[in-house]
Amino acid sequence: METRILLKKLRLQKKISTRELSRIFDMEESAISEIERGKRNLTIFTLLKYCNFFKVSADWLLGLSVRKEII
């Protein structure tokens, strides 16, 4: 599954809006939306924010591992 789809699924599972997540990540709401739509590349810093907040591994988000949880 594409990273952008996983990112959106994680956000929706927690019932968090793009506005709320943008405040948590200290980012523009449009940046979150563009990442989820594939219009903006995910930076390493944003990837780490997602991993830390949602408690998932970067390898899983990038499709390199089937293990979702951080070890």
Side-chain angles (χ1 to χ4, degrees):
M1 189 173 299
E2 289 184 52
T3 300
R4 66 183 184 87
I5 295 169
L6 292 173
L7 296 175
K8 186 172 183 175
K9 282 180 105 173
L10 287 171
R11 180 178 60 76
L12 294 175
Q13 286 173 353
K14 290 258 188 190
K15 298 182 177 144
I16 299 173
S17 68
T18 53
R19 175 172 283 164
E20 291 173 294
L21 194 60
S22 70
R23 288 182 187 147
I24 293 166
F25 286 0
D26 192 27
M27 296 173 62
E28 294 291 325
E29 182 180 359
S30 61
I32 300 289
S33 179
E34 289 172 359
I35 289 168
E36 289 182 359
R37 291 190 335 255
K39 302 294 181 190
R40 181 183 287 220
N41 290 328
L42 184 65
T43 67
I44 187 70
F45 300 110
T46 306
L47 174 65
L48 292 174
K49 287 179 182 186
Y50 272 96
C51 292
N52 289 327
F53 183 76
F54 292 105
K55 305 292 188 237
V56 296
S57 73
D59 285 350
W60 178 78
L61 273 177
L62 296 173
L64 303 173
S65 172
V66 295
R67 187 179 192 116
K68 183 177 179 180
E69 297 82 22
I70 298 173
I71 299 174

